[in-house]
Amino acid sequence: MQQINVGIIGFGTVGSGTVEALIKNREIISNRAGTEVVIRKIADLDTESDRGITVDRGLLTTSSMDVIEDPKINIVVELIGGMEPAREYILEAMERGKHVVTANKALLAEHGHEIYQATERCGVSLAFEASVGGGIPIVRALRCGLSANHIQTIMGILNGTSNYILTRMTQEGHPYTKVVQDAVDLGLAEDPPTLDVDGTDAAHKLAILISIAFGSPASFKEIYREGISSLTPDDIRFAGDFGYSVKLLAICRNLGDRLEARVHPAMIPGDHILANVNEAYNAIYLEGDFVGPNLYYGLGAGRRPTASAVVSDIIDLARHIRLGANGIMPPLAHFRPPDKGILIQPMEELTSEYYFRFSALDRPGVLSKIAGILADQQISISSVIQKGREAGGSVPVVMLTHEALESNVRKAVSLIDQLDVVMDKIVMIRVENR
Amino acid sequence: MQQINVGIIGFGTVGSGTVEALIKNREIISNRAGTEVVIRKIADLDTESDRGITVDRGLLTTSSMDVIEDPKINIVVELIGGMEPAREYILEAMERGKHVVTANKALLAEHGHEIYQATERCGVSLAFEASVGGGIPIVRALRCGLSANHIQTIMGILNGTSNYILTRMTQEGHPYTKVVQDAVDLGLAEDPPTLDVDGTDAAHKLAILISIAFGSPASFKEIYREGISSLTPDDIRFAGDFGYSVKLLAICRNLGDRLEARVHPAMIPGDHILANVNEAYNAIYLEGDFVGPNLYYGLGAGRRPTASAVVSDIIDLARHIRLGANGIMPPLAHFRPPDKGILIQPMEELTSEYYFRFSALDRPGVLSKIAGILADQQISISSVIQKGREAGGSVPVVMLTHEALESNVRKAVSLIDQLDVVMDKIVMIRVENR
């Protein structure tokens, strides 16, 4: 049995988990890889902190170039995250003929094209299972398991932190700020968890899934993003009264000539399989033209789940390397990109159902004024409920609409917000019934 | 771009779906395979029936050997099912250097060892994604996606027909016989659906999952099997009162030195992710030592979902063949089988929690007599409910136990069944709380 040498750049949370898995499960990993998988170098600026695992100190270096330039290393594992120097390290490693494993969703979502091209130029493989859904093998499902299908729908709960926050808000009725503070205090969220809660992280992951599903790098910037910070326990409760759960969803729908691609809070029917994905779990719901509906569920982050994904990539690459089978699959699993690339529909052209909540003065004619604005924008109401009555004379009114055009909804919202009889800003949540 | 030629044996439901996918999705399939994938021959005794797809009649043959002996065919797809002649065809094809794709769970579960060995002898690959979970890429998840893990738990809803029947019994309260008859009438179940409802089909699939997870063929005969035909709507309702759903589960637990491997109706907590898998859907819940809990969900049978799995295998093999990368992975994804093979714990040694229901005469001392028998067998009761009162003087009593030993439970059941004061046979359902 020959030997495959791995160099790891980044000895933080995921790096430590990866080293731990490679050491603890060494026997089963080499059985499955068909070759010994050996850690040859680990680079991190901090070579002193205790990571809870025992590694030969001789493996540690503070210089990433020690890893990249080591001629004996077959696979470079990039686990530092972020744009630079991760991008530079990956490209340098590839130029030296090294295969690369990365968990870096932000980099792939924003600079994937350059990296995917480098694999071809350098004749190396790139694997990135850990970049989406932590331990859930969703990248493989799209690259291999569902390869016979045209993918029609992707709906994902792709950010564990925001799903944890929404679960607490739903179950305990606490406001967003309190739940976030608790999550930060418990070490479950970064302080502040901006990229998690504003939809950026989920949009990075959606960009990667779309790129694989459709064979061409998706433009991250064209993916609409809206976060969860303005959601209230009231809206979550009202949604529940209508039979819906509120989730931060990353959604892609294949419209034939173009794609919907968007991340925002959404109401989904309580009996949808995604509605019961709670706490920090992630899940990806997919539909393909042959396979029908599929769901993949698991822990979307954390030291050990993410390490599971990183090491599965190392094993796959080792299987290829021992046979000299480079280029067995391009990064996006398409040998020919689609002719016209990926066209993302502008958000204004979305058609969807909507939930609105506004506080209106409790006096005659108010609802008819609002209904008139909606009607002018071709928005038809499917149900409306007035929720009790407040001391100040204003009442919360919630309504659901039939399918309407996003640009019309935005116009209507802006007009209603200008009415004297409407207190506070109107709340709008998209409803996913399809 | 070169060309990979496929020969299909069996033009039934799955065969038709496979041909349909290869024709309809030809462009995306060749993009993803890196080569044209061409159907060269289709063998079936019936070459006349309309399958709803147009194929060149010149491709059809009534002789499977026409496929197996065609020197231009790279991949033989066996879709006739059953033992013989499927086994012979697969081995003959391999001897001629052909890679094989099969959906044949019964054959792999009962004669897998011989077929796995043949791949090595003949230097060919075997792929069988469609053998478990229909379109769900669960075989790949175990072969690749979770390869860094020791698998600790597998809990699967692996038979769509029995899950459909249980869903109807749960939602409508109808008895087993009526629901089965409806399912047969609607074309949703075979008449009679013996292997689906008696646990055999699920046990075949569990044997395959265990074989991949642990790298050695599991002995199908040692997997305990119990079907759903004796379940009543009453028991399902009582289970619901305790907060449980009743599912036909295929369960494997890694006990370290040996495995639990069993298929039987089981009560699972209503908030377990498997509890909400309804209708004809399949789902596999897994735990690995690094990845933690994972769930895979989708349609476990049917023409198009199963074709999705078959064609994904064809694409993977084509990717390998074009690089001459045979043997990139052994069938069970382990290059070295584990030293001591797979040891399955005898069912009598299982420890589990249990649900009992019996009809006892409503007179003093009866419950204490039953409790005495249970106590003698070290079975301790965690909760007991007397369910109303019947005209004839007997009352249904349901109870849940703490963990107990299966052999003790069987003894207790047999002793209680002999009591004069107990009408009907006692009902026992295992409870999965872990």
Side-chain angles (χ1 to χ4, degrees):
Chain A
M1 220 180 228
Q2 43 179 147
Q3 174 175 318
I4 302 289
N5 293 311
V6 174
I8 295 170
I9 302 178
F11 200 24
T13 305
V14 179
S16 314
T18 299
V19 170
E20 185 185 355
L22 287 170
I23 293 172
K24 278 204 181 151
N25 287 356
R26 179 178 179 151
E27 190 181 337
I28 200 163
I29 288 168
S30 60
N31 280 353
R32 287 178 175 152
T35 169
E36 291 294 327
V37 175
V38 178
I39 303 172
R40 196 174 156 85
K41 281 203 175 77
I42 304 169
D44 198 289
L45 294 179
D46 170 7
T47 59
E48 297 304 323
S49 295
D50 181 8
R51 273 88 172 179
I53 34 169
T54 310
V55 291
D56 179 350
R57 287 199 56 84
L59 299 179
L60 297 173
T61 169
T62 54
S63 159
S64 300
M65 289 313 287
D66 277 358
V67 173
I68 292 167
E69 288 175 347
D70 185 330
K72 295 225 167 134
I73 286 179
N74 308 95
I75 301 172
V76 169
V77 182
E78 181 276 304
L79 299 173
I80 53 175
M83 297 301 161
E84 296 295 351
R87 178 185 147 279
E88 182 198 331
Y89 290 164
I90 289 175
L91 293 173
E92 289 278 355
M94 287 182 172
E95 295 293 348
R96 286 167 174 76
K98 299 188 190 317
H99 307 283
V100 171
V101 174
T102 178
N104 196 328
K105 59 225 166 193
L107 178 63
L108 291 182
E110 302 197 25
H111 296 283
H113 194 51
E114 180 183 12
I115 292 167
Y116 306 144
Q117 282 185 324
T119 63
E120 200 177 337
R121 187 176 66 244
C122 305
V124 298
S125 291
L126 173 74
F128 47 93
E129 184 62 74
S131 65
V132 185
I136 307 168
I138 184 62
V139 168
R140 253 181 205 78
L142 281 170
R143 290 174 99 191
C144 301
L146 305 179
S147 57
N149 292 266
H150 288 99
I151 300 299
Q152 296 161 320
T153 303
I154 302 172
M155 287 175 76
I157 295 173
L158 297 179
N159 183 273
T161 301
S162 45
N163 202 44
Y164 174 83
I165 292 168
L166 289 177
T167 302
R168 293 268 77 78
M169 287 176 71
T170 304
Q171 293 177 350
E172 288 152 19
H174 292 315
Y176 173 79
T177 44
K178 171 172 166 43
V179 174
V180 169
Q181 192 54 54
D182 288 353
V184 168
D185 292 347
L186 288 166
L188 295 171
E190 291 179 48
D191 187 11
T194 313
L195 300 183
D196 290 317
V197 299
D198 75 357
T200 302
D201 176 73
H204 279 146
K205 293 164 178 170
L206 182 63
I208 294 172
L209 295 182
I210 291 175
S211 303
I212 309 166
F214 300 97
S216 182
S219 165
F220 164 71
K221 293 204 179 87
E222 290 177 53
I223 298 178
Y224 176 80
R225 272 169 287 160
E226 188 181 306
I228 61 170
S229 59
S230 62
L231 290 173
T232 69
D234 279 352
D235 293 308
I236 293 174
R237 200 175 68 245
F238 295 155
D241 293 347
F242 283 118
Y244 291 92
S245 292
V246 179
K247 296 288 179 189
L248 179 66
L249 290 189
I251 300 172
C252 168
R253 285 186 205 279
N254 186 347
L255 304 176
D257 54 345
R258 50 192 190 161
L259 305 178
E260 285 177 17
R262 49 198 169 97
V263 174
H264 53 72
M267 284 165 47
I268 47 173
D271 62 357
H272 193 288
I273 183 111
L274 282 174
N276 295 307
V277 174
N278 289 319
E279 306 294 337
Y281 280 90
N282 281 17
I284 301 96
Y285 171 88
L286 294 166
E287 289 174 9
D289 57 349
F290 274 79
V291 77
N294 258 221
L295 181 93
Y296 304 80
Y297 166 95
L299 290 165
R303 169 175 165 140
R304 289 168 69 101
T306 312
S308 167
V310 170
V311 175
S312 75
D313 278 347
I314 295 174
I315 293 171
D316 262 7
L317 291 185
R319 285 166 172 164
H320 299 173
I321 294 168
R322 58 185 281 283
L323 293 185
N326 298 340
I328 210 157
M329 192 171 20
L332 301 181
H334 287 65
F335 284 84
R336 280 190 308 228
D339 296 337
K340 39 186 172 41
I342 288 178
L343 214 63
I344 292 179
Q345 170 180 269
M347 190 63 181
E348 293 71 21
E349 296 175 26
L350 173 72
T351 55
S352 175
E353 299 174 28
Y354 295 82
Y355 159 101
F356 297 124
R357 176 174 59 83
F358 39 80
S359 300
L361 286 183
D362 190 12
R363 68 166 74 137
V366 171
L367 195 58
S368 93
K369 205 173 242 175
I370 290 166
I373 292 175
L374 294 175
D376 286 347
Q377 298 300 332
Q378 321 290 326
I379 301 164
S380 97
I381 299 166
S382 67
S383 87
V384 55
I385 303 178
Q386 182 172 314
K387 292 283 180 183
R389 193 165 274 211
E390 280 171 25
S394 77
V395 288
V397 176
V398 296
M399 50 173 65
L400 296 181
T401 76
H402 291 293
E403 285 216 336
L405 188 65
E406 174 90 8
S407 59
N408 290 349
V409 167
R410 293 185 184 182
K411 258 177 261 165
V413 164
S414 136
L415 290 170
I416 293 170
D417 272 341
Q418 290 166 35
L419 293 178
D420 293 341
V421 292
V422 171
M423 321 282 100
D424 304 337
K425 282 180 75 69
I426 187 169
V427 173
M428 179 269 273
I429 304 174
R430 294 172 194 88
V431 180
E432 295 296 320
N433 266 326
R434 286 170 295 177
Chain B
M1 224 182 225
Q2 43 179 151
Q3 174 175 319
I4 302 289
N5 293 310
V6 174
I8 295 170
I9 302 177
F11 200 24
T13 304
V14 179
S16 314
T18 299
V19 170
E20 186 186 352
L22 287 171
I23 293 172
K24 276 204 183 151
N25 287 356
R26 177 178 181 153
E27 191 180 338
I28 200 164
I29 288 168
S30 59
N31 280 354
R32 288 179 175 151
T35 167
E36 291 294 326
V37 176
V38 178
I39 302 171
R40 195 172 156 86
K41 281 202 175 76
I42 305 169
D44 199 287
L45 295 178
D46 170 8
T47 58
E48 298 302 324
S49 295
D50 180 9
R51 273 90 172 180
I53 34 170
T54 310
V55 291
D56 180 349
R57 286 200 55 85
L59 299 179
L60 297 173
T61 169
T62 56
S63 160
S64 299
M65 290 313 289
D66 277 357
V67 172
I68 292 167
E69 290 176 344
D70 185 331
K72 295 225 166 134
I73 286 179
N74 309 93
I75 301 172
V76 169
V77 182
E78 182 276 304
L79 298 172
I80 53 176
M83 297 301 163
E84 296 295 353
R87 179 185 145 279
E88 183 198 330
Y89 291 163
I90 288 175
L91 293 172
E92 289 278 357
M94 287 181 172
E95 295 293 347
R96 285 169 176 78
K98 297 186 190 320
H99 306 282
V100 171
V101 174
T102 178
N104 195 328
K105 59 224 164 193
L107 178 63
L108 292 181
E110 302 197 25
H111 297 282
H113 194 51
E114 180 184 13
I115 292 167
Y116 305 144
Q117 282 186 323
T119 62
E120 200 176 338
R121 187 174 66 243
C122 304
V124 297
S125 291
L126 173 74
F128 46 95
E129 184 62 74
S131 66
V132 185
I136 307 168
I138 184 63
V139 168
R140 253 184 206 76
L142 281 170
R143 292 175 96 191
C144 302
L146 305 179
S147 57
N149 292 267
H150 288 100
I151 300 298
Q152 296 160 321
T153 303
I154 303 172
M155 287 175 75
I157 295 173
L158 297 179
N159 183 272
T161 301
S162 45
N163 202 44
Y164 174 83
I165 292 168
L166 290 177
T167 302
R168 293 267 79 77
M169 287 176 71
T170 304
Q171 294 178 350
E172 289 152 20
H174 292 315
Y176 173 78
T177 44
K178 173 174 165 42
V179 174
V180 170
Q181 192 55 54
D182 288 353
V184 169
D185 292 347
L186 288 166
L188 296 171
E190 290 180 49
D191 187 10
T194 313
L195 300 182
D196 290 316
V197 298
D198 76 358
T200 302
D201 177 73
H204 280 146
K205 293 165 178 169
L206 182 62
I208 294 172
L209 294 182
I210 291 176
S211 304
I212 309 167
F214 299 98
S216 181
S219 165
F220 164 70
K221 293 202 179 87
E222 290 176 52
I223 298 178
Y224 176 79
R225 271 169 285 158
E226 188 181 307
I228 60 170
S229 59
S230 63
L231 290 173
T232 70
D234 280 353
D235 294 307
I236 293 174
R237 200 176 65 246
F238 295 156
D241 293 347
F242 283 117
Y244 292 92
S245 292
V246 179
K247 295 289 179 188
L248 179 67
L249 290 190
I251 300 173
C252 169
R253 284 186 206 278
N254 186 349
L255 305 175
D257 55 344
R258 51 192 190 161
L259 304 177
E260 285 177 17
R262 48 198 170 97
V263 174
H264 53 72
M267 283 164 47
I268 47 173
D271 62 357
H272 193 289
I273 183 112
L274 282 175
N276 296 307
V277 174
N278 290 319
E279 306 295 336
Y281 280 90
N282 282 17
I284 302 97
Y285 171 87
L286 294 167
E287 288 174 9
D289 57 350
F290 274 78
V291 78
N294 257 222
L295 182 93
Y296 304 82
Y297 166 94
L299 290 165
R303 167 175 166 142
R304 288 168 69 101
T306 313
S308 168
V310 169
V311 174
S312 75
D313 278 347
I314 294 173
I315 293 171
D316 263 7
L317 291 184
R319 285 167 172 164
H320 299 174
I321 295 168
R322 57 184 281 284
L323 293 186
N326 297 340
I328 209 155
M329 192 172 19
L332 301 181
H334 287 63
F335 284 83
R336 283 189 305 228
D339 296 338
K340 41 186 170 42
I342 289 179
L343 213 61
I344 292 179
Q345 169 179 270
M347 191 62 182
E348 293 72 21
E349 297 175 25
L350 174 72
T351 55
S352 175
E353 299 174 30
Y354 295 83
Y355 158 99
F356 298 124
R357 175 174 60 83
F358 39 80
S359 300
L361 286 183
D362 190 12
R363 67 167 75 137
V366 171
L367 195 58
S368 93
K369 204 173 244 176
I370 289 167
I373 292 176
L374 294 175
D376 286 346
Q377 299 299 330
Q378 322 288 328
I379 301 163
S380 98
I381 298 166
S382 67
S383 85
V384 55
I385 303 177
Q386 182 174 309
K387 290 286 181 181
R389 194 164 273 212
E390 282 174 21
S394 77
V395 288
V397 176
V398 296
M399 49 173 66
L400 297 180
T401 76
H402 291 295
E403 284 216 339
L405 188 64
E406 174 91 8
S407 59
N408 290 349
V409 167
R410 292 184 186 182
K411 259 179 261 165
V413 164
S414 136
L415 291 169
I416 294 170
D417 272 340
Q418 290 165 36
L419 294 178
D420 292 342
V421 293
V422 171
M423 322 281 100
D424 305 337
K425 284 179 73 69
I426 186 169
V427 172
M428 179 269 273
I429 304 173
R430 295 173 193 86
V431 180
E432 295 296 324
N433 266 328
R434 288 169 297 177

